[in-house]
Amino acid sequence: MWVYLFDGTFIGLLTAVFERYDRKQHPVRIAPQQRYAPGLMDEPVAVVSDDTKARRVWQGLGKRLNTDWMSRLYAAFLGEQPEGFQHLFDLACYIINHGGDVIANYGNPHVLYVAQLHRKVHREKHRMEAFVRFQQLADGIFFALVEPDFNVLPLISRHFKNRYADQRWTIYDRRRDYGIHYDGSGVSEVTIDFIQHTGKHRGVLPADLLAEQEVLYQTLWQGYFKNATIPSRKNTTLHIRHVPRRYWKHLTEKAFLPLAL
Amino acid sequence: MEITEKLNILADAAKYDVSCASSGGTRKNTKGGLGNSHISGICHSYTEDGRCVSLLKILLTNHCIYDCAFCVSRRSNDIKRAAFKVQEVVDLTINFYRRNYIEGLFLSSGIFKDADYTMERLLRIVKKLRTEERFNGYIHLKTIPGASEALIREAGLYADRMSINLEMPTEQGLRLLAPEKSHAPVKHSLQLVSQSIAQFKEERKLLRHVPRFVPAGQSTQMVVGATPETDMDIMHTAHHYYKTYNLKRVYYAGYIPISYDSRLPAMGTQPPLLRENRLYQTDWLMRFYGFEVHELLNPLHPHLDVEIDPKLSWALRHMEQFPVDINTADYRLILRVPGIGVGSAKKIVQARKFGSLRFDQLKQIGVAVNRARHFIRCADSPFSIGDPTANVIRAQILASTTSKYIEKSVLQLSLF
Ligand code: SF4
């Protein structure tokens, strides 16, 4: 079987779709180069990411699908699932061969998989829009650390840019070690050397990096959170379903305050 | 008094208002401004009782000239009182918002002096937020019943949502617990806001620069279980208010005992969480599933079934309407099948165009097949002789489900 090895990027994946039609090869398995383990019957083909080829595929899909579905495809890609790449590839081919209407066919395994993966990624995007907690730094920048399950920073950047248009902010993904920074006009990608700035405490900024009133507002927020609870209705199961423990580390209302360290 | 203590007192006093929704807002950020609305709202956190934290929900003050028996802020209650200054509320809102703690502000208040005096202060806060701070986040403002028309109409220009609580589902209930109050001023103020919303909408069609007025609409809240109303009374009231005042939401708050008053359930009584949940399910069925209130609650069935949800309960009373054929039935009928939600129903009618659907596909689409299978036919339904009766189905479904509320209530029952 043909195995297309791509570089793991979205451009690479779309390029692979282009190559499949250009070379008229079928069926094709697709794998990210870094994670490929050769099989006995494989015929590996290296796919070189190419903006022009990728754009042609994307535009071709765009003619057949509405914008909702286009963003679903991209979001599903950011889900970073190895089998997701194959489904996306197969789905793109399915659409190219049969036209955009078949996207409503939830009986098709690729449509269903991509729709479901998109749902998960979308939920994580929504969670990040909710769970980001900015701390104001001494230089005025509002700074947040996150560790999302999927690579959702590209999906949340517009939301934060629109909402916090008048403040400078950075949202940093500790797991993927990059962040997005808004400087008052545009958003760009950044990387930061953390150990140098924060010492060994993962996810906790030392108090001396923070703006003067930061600790006050964190204290106020924690007090608010505590007093908003109605003890006789306490329902820990429900609470944890909504706010899974893995997110607590970066939630101000759940975390220890810098002063307490 | 320190700001920390004030916030703790006035957040604590505001928490019995269950609404925290920030949905329905359409406000966009303005140039150089702060914030916007998110169409479906965002819950930034959840309290330990599992409720959404979306807005900074506080009272301006818990001083109050009234003595409503069901309320912690009633004047005869011996508690610590506090009041925010206008600027304090503004600072808290802005600083919480900038840190992405909240979607906006939910501001309510006890009544100090009179309705207008209180409303005027609420107005000053929202006006300052919108005009001086250029804040475009969500604002939910309580209308103080009986406040003057001018104040209410100005406040509506700055708020996204306004609400007034009915408190008790019926006039008799309210009279019993709050003899100084009646539903009349509540209705009057709801009417005023609802008319203004309609009027501004009309004018906006003609002139684009007409400002928005309470764009996310009005809501109300009823306390459930403090007075002896039936579920039917409650839902008929809800239905009436939805229709008459074009409300966006009605909230049902299970009464939480806060007083030794003999007119009220005793201290230590568990709040009726399961009942509250069933009422919300009924509300949902009325608003999104095309059910009429009398189909779900009527003199023959004045109370909702505790063990099973109202949709299943309705289906079991109407076995003659089933089974529904998934591959041919009308969307509205599919929507009435227990175990099929709005999302699944939509997917079913789309997907069946591509071929007859089977059970495994329904499962993948998101149908709760365990529940739905008793009420549907699809491509691979087995041929069966003699359909099981409603009672058999009910028992089967009950045996296979656990509810997050049931466990607790069974436990409570077994104590007596
Ligand atoms: S008027 Fe409102 S705040 Fe005052 S006692 Fe009655 S319910 Fe409570």
Side-chain angles (χ1 to χ4, degrees):
Chain A
M1 184 191 302
W2 305 104
V3 181
Y4 282 15
L5 303 178
F6 76 117
D7 59 3
T9 66
F10 196 51
I11 302 286
L13 183 69
L14 293 173
T15 310
V17 176
F18 183 93
E19 297 293 347
R20 175 235 177 276
Y21 284 95
D22 201 41
R23 298 162 189 239
K24 303 192 174 57
Q25 289 169 333
H26 179 76
V28 166
R29 200 152 63 79
I30 165 154
Q33 234 145 25
Q34 313 89 306
R35 273 189 244 151
Y36 173 61
L40 211 54
M41 311 296 280
D42 289 0
E43 290 228 33
V45 177
V47 172
V48 183
S49 288
D50 181 313
D51 277 2
T52 322
K53 291 175 180 172
R55 187 163 309 126
R56 278 187 49 191
V57 172
W58 191 240
Q59 283 168 348
L61 290 170
K63 280 194 204 119
R64 293 168 173 85
L65 299 176
N66 61 24
T67 48
D68 273 2
W69 264 103
M70 293 298 279
S71 44
R72 261 173 232 172
L73 297 186
Y74 180 52
F77 172 81
L78 295 175
E80 302 170 322
Q81 303 303 305
E83 70 276 19
F85 298 139
Q86 186 69 47
H87 279 293
L88 277 166
F89 182 87
D90 291 339
L91 179 60
C93 299
Y94 182 50
I95 301 296
I96 290 167
N97 294 343
H98 296 95
D101 288 346
V102 297
I103 201 70
N105 182 12
Y106 285 92
N108 175 286
H110 310 307
V111 174
L112 193 70
Y113 182 93
V114 170
Q116 282 172 347
L117 179 55
H118 159 261
R119 266 241 297 272
K120 287 185 205 156
V121 176
H122 184 75
R123 191 174 63 174
E124 192 67 2
K125 164 193 188 273
H126 202 68
R127 270 187 178 146
M128 281 304 123
E129 287 173 354
F131 292 165
V132 157
R133 293 288 178 270
F134 287 119
Q135 309 186 56
Q136 194 177 23
L137 304 181
D139 61 4
I141 291 180
F142 285 84
F143 185 86
L145 288 171
V146 293
E147 292 175 60
D149 287 348
F150 307 115
N151 182 18
V152 294
L153 290 196
L155 300 177
I156 63 174
S157 130
R158 184 149 47 121
H159 168 80
F160 283 96
K161 177 173 179 252
N162 290 340
R163 174 162 291 195
Y164 299 109
D166 74 336
Q167 75 190 41
R168 290 175 299 148
W169 52 259
T170 303
I171 302 171
Y172 203 85
D173 184 338
R174 280 301 317 241
R175 188 175 297 177
R176 292 164 191 82
D177 200 24
Y178 83 101
I180 47 178
H181 173 73
Y182 173 74
D183 61 5
S185 56
V187 179
S188 52
E189 269 189 39
V190 290
T191 50
I192 299 173
D193 180 354
F194 266 89
I195 309 299
Q196 185 198 328
H197 290 291
T198 64
K200 63 179 192 299
H201 293 300
R202 257 168 79 82
V204 182
L205 299 179
D208 58 346
L209 272 185
L210 300 177
E212 198 186 323
Q213 291 211 307
E214 182 53 34
V215 174
L216 169 67
Y217 280 109
Q218 292 190 18
T219 316
L220 285 167
W221 175 240
Q222 290 196 335
Y224 175 76
F225 185 76
K226 216 168 77 216
N227 282 286
T229 295
I230 299 177
S232 61
R233 294 180 63 120
K234 194 157 173 160
N235 188 337
T236 312
T237 327
L238 200 58
H239 173 65
I240 291 178
R241 188 180 321 151
H242 287 307
V243 194
R245 279 184 202 277
R246 63 181 182 283
Y247 299 99
W248 289 15
K249 182 163 47 171
H250 298 301
L251 289 173
T252 312
E253 61 271 28
K254 290 288 184 189
F256 293 109
L257 290 185
L259 277 191
L261 284 171
Chain B
M1 188 185 287
E2 250 195 277
I3 182 79
T4 327
E5 192 183 357
K6 269 194 203 179
L7 177 61
N8 290 347
I9 293 173
L10 294 169
D12 187 86
K15 71 187 173 192
Y16 300 96
D17 212 306
V18 294
S19 148
C20 195
S22 56
S23 56
T26 52
R27 209 172 284 272
K28 293 202 168 56
N29 204 349
T30 46
K31 211 169 159 41
L34 168 67
N36 56 10
S37 292
H38 186 283
I39 183 65
S40 52
I42 297 178
C43 292
H44 284 269
S45 195
Y46 289 83
T47 56
E48 286 174 22
D49 48 282
R51 290 175 310 143
C52 165
V53 179
S54 181
L55 304 171
L56 168 62
K57 183 162 45 176
I58 47 176
L59 299 188
L60 173 61
T61 180
N62 64 344
H63 289 283
C64 192
I65 55 172
Y66 288 103
D67 203 33
C68 311
F70 50 83
C71 175
V72 267
S73 303
R74 67 188 182 279
R75 67 167 183 266
S76 63
N77 202 14
D78 182 18
I79 48 162
K80 207 158 193 179
R81 308 277 169 174
F84 279 123
K85 296 197 186 88
V86 169
Q87 190 60 42
E88 286 173 335
V89 177
V90 170
D91 287 343
L92 277 172
T93 308
I94 295 293
N95 276 288
F96 279 11
Y97 194 84
R98 286 199 182 283
R99 287 165 176 76
N100 206 42
Y101 299 163
I102 52 171
E103 285 298 288
L105 174 67
F106 180 152
L107 186 59
S108 177
S109 186
I111 318 293
F112 36 18
K113 288 200 183 148
D114 57 41
D116 272 355
Y117 185 90
T118 312
M119 192 72 209
E120 194 266 331
R121 265 161 189 71
L122 297 180
L123 170 61
R124 261 169 45 201
I125 292 171
V126 292
K127 187 173 184 176
K128 197 158 192 177
L129 278 168
R130 292 288 191 226
T131 54
E132 288 176 31
E133 301 288 337
R134 297 198 277 182
F135 176 69
N136 296 304
Y138 195 89
I139 297 180
H140 179 155
L141 189 67
K142 276 272 131 130
T143 313
I144 304 298
S148 75
E149 191 169 328
L151 288 174
I152 293 179
R153 285 188 47 116
E154 190 179 354
L157 295 174
Y158 306 116
D160 291 288
R161 168 164 291 180
M162 292 179 85
S163 67
I164 315 178
N165 291 351
L166 285 173
E167 306 300 1
M168 296 303 138
T170 56
E171 189 75 37
Q172 299 92 291
L174 188 66
R175 292 268 167 194
L176 176 70
L177 298 179
E180 307 158 303
K181 298 194 122 187
S182 94
H183 278 163
V186 173
K187 286 180 180 168
H188 180 260
S189 300
L190 279 172
Q191 179 72 19
L192 172 65
V193 173
S194 134
Q195 273 171 356
S196 305
I197 292 176
Q199 179 204 337
F200 273 77
K201 250 194 203 141
E202 275 307 305
E203 288 171 7
R204 253 178 87 85
K205 280 188 200 147
L206 302 172
L207 299 163
R208 288 314 291 171
H209 67 265
V210 170
R212 288 174 201 277
F213 186 90
V214 195
Q218 284 198 100
S219 64
T220 192
Q221 169 174 305
M222 289 185 260
V223 175
V224 172
T227 40
E229 287 93 352
T230 62
D231 291 343
M232 183 177 76
D233 295 334
I234 294 169
M235 293 316 298
H236 275 86
T237 300
H239 176 68
H240 170 74
Y241 278 82
Y242 270 125
K243 253 187 30 205
T244 316
Y245 304 105
N246 211 353
L247 298 186
K248 277 284 164 8
R249 285 295 301 273
V250 173
Y251 292 91
Y252 311 89
Y255 174 71
I256 292 151
I258 42 98
S259 162
Y260 290 100
D261 193 314
S262 62
R263 290 169 292 177
L264 286 162
M267 289 293 270
T269 313
Q270 276 295 316
L273 296 185
L274 178 58
R275 184 177 182 202
E276 186 187 292
N277 186 42
R278 293 279 180 254
L279 291 170
Y280 277 114
Q281 288 171 328
T282 309
D283 183 277
W284 219 250
L285 291 176
M286 281 161 43
R287 290 189 300 136
F288 302 116
Y289 287 79
F291 281 93
E292 295 292 335
V293 58
H294 63 79
E295 292 183 273
L296 302 164
L297 288 160
N298 48 54
L300 278 180
H301 303 276
H303 279 289
L304 295 165
D305 197 319
V306 179
E307 285 184 332
I308 56 176
D309 69 76
K311 193 182 186 190
L312 178 58
S313 172
W314 174 84
L316 292 175
R317 292 201 304 270
H318 292 88
M319 289 307 286
E320 76 284 357
Q321 311 237 2
F322 299 99
V324 163
D325 190 327
I326 289 300
N327 288 303
T328 56
D330 200 61
Y331 171 73
R332 281 171 314 167
L333 290 179
I334 293 180
L335 212 46
R336 294 194 160 214
V337 175
I340 299 183
V342 174
S344 308
K346 282 190 180 146
K347 280 190 190 141
I348 287 171
V349 282
Q350 281 194 358
R352 70 186 182 185
K353 291 183 201 148
F354 298 89
S356 288
L357 298 172
R358 301 179 310 268
F359 269 114
D360 62 316
Q361 288 170 309
L362 292 181
K363 201 171 194 166
Q364 300 245 284
I365 279 173
V367 172
V369 175
N370 252 342
R371 186 164 282 239
R373 70 189 164 97
H374 304 286
F375 303 95
I376 56 173
R377 299 246 147 251
C378 56
D380 57 343
S381 284
F383 180 75
S384 68
I385 308 165
D387 292 315
T389 65
N391 279 336
V392 174
I393 296 175
R394 181 189 174 103
Q396 280 183 11
I397 291 179
L398 274 177
S400 64
T401 44
T402 50
S403 153
K404 56 186 187 238
Y405 297 103
I406 292 268
E407 283 166 49
K408 221 176 175 180
S409 57
V410 168
L411 198 74
Q412 283 157 27
L413 288 178
S414 66
L415 288 175
F416 295 98

